[in-house]
Amino acid sequence: MTNAAHFANMPDGTPVAQITLRGGGLTARVLTHGARIQDLRLDGVAHPLVLGSSDFAPYLDDMLYFGAIVGRFANRIAGGAFVIDGTPHQVDRNFLGKHCLHGGSDGTASRVWEVAALKEDAVELRLDLADGEMGFPGAMQVMATIALPGDGVLAMDIRATSDAATPCSFAHHGYFNLDGSADIADHLLQVAAETYLPVDAEMIPLGAPDALAGTAFDFRAARALGHSQVDHNFCLATARRTCHPVANLTGATSGVKMRVETTEPGLQVYGAATFPAAGLSGFDGRRYGPHAGLALETQSWPDAPNRPTYPDTILRPGESYHHQVRYVFDRSETASA
C-alpha cells in the first residue's frame, strides 16, 4: 500500500519498512523493526511528540528501545533466572551481565516484525518467537495493532499466545517530549498510583511495594518532573483490569496534554536521567541528553516471575495475553505554538 515504504536493511539484509499512519489529528511513522513508533506528530504542533531518529543506525545501538515494543518480558528479571512449575530456566543476562532486560539481547525490540494487515490509520504486526529463544520456554506468537482511531488517540493492542508456560509482559517504550524542548523538567506529571517498587543499585525490586507519599517520586498530584531520578514501577493494580486512565503528562509551553490509559497493573516511569551527557543523535540534528524525554511504559511488574506476591505474568497454553494502551493527545487552543 502507498503508506508503506522501504526504510533500511538490517545488517543481514532483512528489509525494514516504514509505515505512515494518519487519523484523529495524528500522524505516526512506524518501523517494522521493533514495531517501533519512530515519529509522532499532532496537527498544529511543529515538533515531534516523541524522541526518535530519521536514520536507522541509532536503532541498532544506543536507541534500540526508543519507541519499540519490548519483550517477551519487559523490564528486568533478577539473575535472568526463574522457576515455572518446578522447572528452572536461565535466560539471557544482557543487563550488567547479571540480569535479563526487555527479553534479552535479541528481544522483540531488535526483531523485524511482519506486516499482517495495513490500513490508512492502523497496522497489524506479527512476530513469532521460537521455543528456547533467549532461553525462554514456549513458542510464542505476538500480534500488535498500532492505530490512530480518532480524537487524538494513539492506540496499541498487544496479544500473545504460547505453547508452553512462559513469562509474558510487553511494553511500549516510547520517550515523550510534548514541548520539543531540550529536557522535560518543566513537564507536569500525574500518576494514579499510591505505591511503587523501590529498587537496589542494579534496578531490581527490593520487595513489597512502598507508599509514594513523602517520597521524591510522589506524583499523585500533578507537579513538575524537574531532574527526577525516577526509573521505577508505579503499582497501579494487582492484576490486569479494563482499560482506564492511569497518568497525565502536560507540556509547559506547547499546551499539549497526554493521557495514558491501560489494562496493565504497572507503569514504569523513566525520566532518562542516564542518557549520555554528549547526547544521542535525534531528529533534525538534535542531541538527546539527560532528561530529554519521559518513558511511560505500561506493563506488569518487574521480576514478577520470581515474586509470588506480584501480579501473575505466566502465560500458559490455551490462554491469551491481551494488553491495551492508549495515549490520548489534546492541545489547548490558547497555547503558543
Side-chain angles (χ1 to χ4, degrees):
M1 297 180 68
T2 56
N3 56 334
H6 178 264
F7 178 70
N9 289 323
M10 293 286 287
D12 67 359
T14 302
V16 174
Q18 182 190 68
I19 296 156
T20 302
L21 306 178
R22 293 183 175 87
L26 292 171
T27 301
R29 288 185 171 83
V30 179
L31 299 184
T32 52
H33 179 257
R36 182 185 315 277
I37 304 293
Q38 177 195 19
D39 193 359
L40 183 67
R41 309 278 175 146
L42 178 64
D43 290 355
V45 177
H47 57 265
L49 304 181
V50 296
L51 306 187
S53 175
S54 300
D55 300 320
F56 185 52
Y59 293 123
L60 298 175
D61 193 13
D62 292 332
M63 293 173 66
L64 172 64
Y65 300 129
F66 278 50
I69 292 178
V70 299
R72 71 174 73 179
F73 192 86
N75 216 309
R76 294 157 182 87
I77 298 176
F82 51 88
V83 176
I84 299 178
D85 300 333
T87 300
H89 298 274
Q90 179 66 61
V91 297
D92 188 42
R93 289 178 286 192
N94 62 318
F95 182 68
L96 303 177
K98 298 180 180 181
H99 313 295
C100 185
L101 175 64
H102 297 327
S105 55
D106 195 25
T108 58
S110 63
R111 303 287 299 277
V112 177
W113 297 53
E114 174 190 350
V115 177
L118 181 58
K119 299 189 296 184
E120 181 181 356
D121 60 357
V123 60
E124 185 178 38
L125 301 168
R126 170 177 170 160
L127 185 63
D128 293 321
L129 301 174
D131 178 33
E133 214 165 90
M134 295 287 99
F136 287 93
M140 178 180 283
Q141 182 185 101
V142 191
M143 303 293 294
T145 300
I146 301 171
L148 305 177
D151 297 325
V153 176
L154 167 64
M156 298 185 198
D157 191 293
I158 309 169
R159 299 176 184 266
T161 57
S162 175
D163 65 2
T166 189
C168 180
S169 175
F170 292 89
H172 169 62
H173 202 297
Y175 287 99
F176 297 96
N177 184 322
L178 305 184
D179 287 340
S181 48
D183 65 39
I184 39 85
D186 292 334
H187 281 52
L188 301 179
L189 175 67
Q190 181 268 329
V191 180
E194 296 292 327
T195 60
Y196 77 116
L197 294 180
V199 295
D200 65 18
E202 297 181 350
M203 307 307 295
I204 302 300
L206 293 172
D210 271 2
L212 281 159
T215 73
F217 310 127
D218 186 357
F219 292 98
R220 292 175 299 163
R223 66 180 178 89
L225 278 158
H227 290 143
S228 173
Q229 301 299 305
V230 64
D231 188 5
H232 296 77
N233 177 75
F234 286 62
C235 304
L236 306 173
T238 56
R240 188 167 289 116
R241 303 179 289 178
T242 56
C243 195
H244 62 284
V246 297
N248 292 284
L249 185 67
T250 303
T253 60
S254 65
V256 178
K257 300 179 180 180
M258 181 181 79
R259 183 174 71 250
V260 184
E261 303 173 354
T262 190
T263 53
E264 299 309 284
L267 178 70
Q268 186 79 11
V269 180
Y270 173 43
T274 60
F275 278 18
L280 302 171
S281 179
F283 289 128
D284 304 320
R286 284 189 54 193
R287 303 296 297 180
Y288 299 143
H291 309 287
L294 182 70
L296 294 168
E297 306 161 58
T298 61
Q299 56 184 38
S300 193
W301 298 7
D303 202 33
N306 292 312
R307 315 284 179 129
T309 60
Y310 287 10
D312 183 18
T313 56
I314 303 302
L315 176 64
R316 297 180 178 276
E319 298 177 345
S320 179
Y321 168 92
H322 186 195
H323 172 165
Q324 293 174 286
V325 59
R326 292 161 52 94
Y327 298 96
V328 185
F329 297 89
D330 187 25
R331 181 171 182 262
S332 168
E333 293 182 0
T334 60
S336 58

